[in-house]
Amino acid sequence: MKNLRLKAARAAKDLSQQQLAETVGVSRQTINAIEKGDYNPTIKLCLAICKALDKTLDELFWE
Amino acid sequence: MSMEYKMGLFFGVLAGALAGLLFVALMKHKKVIDCHFDERQERARGQAFKYAFFTLAVAVICYGALDTIFTLPCDTLTAVFLCFCLTMVVFAVVCIRKEAYLSLYEKPGQVMMLFGVIAAFNIGIGAIYLMEGTMVENGVLTFRACNLIVGVMMLVIMGIYALHISSSGEEEAE
């Protein structure tokens, strides 16, 4: 299932996938896979993404 | 095969392995080769290792069985190299498809150039052996074919990588 909330939060911060990927220390393809719902990130990566986007886990990853 | 020839072969392989290790160390030092992968890539590479492992197992068993039944027209080292190269190609294909072949900091251009140089070097040596007529002796493919096999393997991996890049259309980050 696509993670549109992540995509929206990233866009709201005016970050590209590449920029977010560099901030959290992963590849752009990984961010793309998370947004497309192709990859389930670990809690560690979820937290890093949340911190980078100033969001909570609930806001970005809880269904 | 004389003792002198065997010693020459042994030290030749040893020198080649040492040169290879030095080359890899230098490339790592120059940051052309880097081994930092993110969690998705690590997972994908784990799957690729699994496929490669089973490929190697099947290839080695097939070689053993076929050689026992038919006596294959290639020496052991060449056959092992063929199995190894097949395994490496399987590993590379799975990694490339899952976007996990290159690490976070590797530059595709640099890595592909390095592959190109290695391929050209090995194919060049293979071509020399082929022209000398020492690659096939008494109808048996000798270990001198290994360079050519490795060179072709590198070309295949480069081709698959290029194909993947062009077919994925480098979906641009939004």
Side-chain angles (χ1 to χ4, degrees):
Chain A
M1 196 172 70
K2 283 187 178 180
N3 191 335
L4 296 174
R5 280 175 294 174
L6 171 57
K7 197 171 181 173
R10 178 175 60 75
K13 278 251 172 190
D14 204 20
L15 288 173
S16 66
Q17 287 181 341
Q18 184 66 47
Q19 286 167 324
L20 178 59
E22 280 168 14
T23 308
V24 299
V26 297
S27 62
R28 180 190 65 77
Q29 287 88 350
T30 298
I31 298 296
N32 189 41
I34 296 169
E35 287 185 356
K36 278 166 53 184
D38 291 342
Y39 175 64
N40 242 344
T42 61
I43 192 76
K44 191 179 159 197
L45 180 53
C46 289
L47 285 170
I49 292 171
C50 288
K51 268 186 192 168
L53 297 176
D54 293 320
K55 295 281 179 187
T56 63
L57 274 175
D58 273 6
E59 286 171 319
L60 289 187
F61 295 102
W62 195 252
E63 293 185 7
Chain B
M1 207 184 271
S2 70
M3 194 60 195
E4 248 176 52
Y5 186 82
K6 280 182 183 172
M7 291 298 281
L9 188 61
F10 173 75
F11 284 111
V13 170
L14 198 65
L18 279 175
L21 278 176
L22 272 175
F23 184 69
V24 169
L26 181 71
M27 288 298 113
K28 274 198 156 192
H29 181 71
K30 296 243 176 219
K31 304 270 181 207
V32 175
I33 297 174
D34 179 273
C35 293
H36 291 93
F37 297 93
D38 67 31
E39 55 177 51
R40 181 193 60 81
Q41 289 176 313
E42 293 278 11
R43 192 171 159 179
R45 289 172 74 85
Q47 285 178 332
F49 272 121
K50 184 178 72 179
Y51 290 122
F53 170 77
F54 285 116
T55 303
L56 184 61
V58 170
V60 168
I61 289 169
C62 284
Y63 164 66
L66 289 173
D67 196 47
T68 305
I69 300 167
F70 303 112
T71 312
L72 295 177
C74 68
D75 66 21
T76 313
L77 188 59
T78 313
V80 167
F81 254 85
L82 276 170
C83 295
F84 165 75
C85 288
L86 181 67
T87 302
M88 291 304 285
V89 168
V90 168
F91 175 75
V93 168
V94 176
C95 283
I96 289 169
R97 281 200 64 213
K98 291 177 183 284
E99 314 257 19
Y101 194 59
L102 300 183
S103 72
L104 293 176
Y105 308 113
E106 280 173 339
K107 295 180 179 72
Q110 269 187 348
V111 174
M112 287 306 126
M113 192 180 288
L114 177 67
F115 277 26
V117 169
I118 297 171
F121 180 72
N122 280 288
I123 288 173
I125 293 174
I128 292 170
Y129 287 142
L130 200 63
M131 284 187 288
E132 280 178 351
T134 51
M135 194 176 282
V136 180
E137 286 174 354
N138 304 321
V140 175
L141 199 62
T142 67
F143 66 89
R144 289 187 179 88
C146 291
N147 287 102
L148 193 62
I149 294 167
V150 170
V152 171
M153 176 195 76
M154 300 303 274
L155 278 186
V156 168
I157 292 174
M158 285 172 71
I160 292 166
Y161 189 81
L163 209 66
H164 175 76
I165 293 292
S166 63
S167 68
S168 68
E170 270 293 55
E171 46 175 289
E172 201 42 55
E174 294 133 86

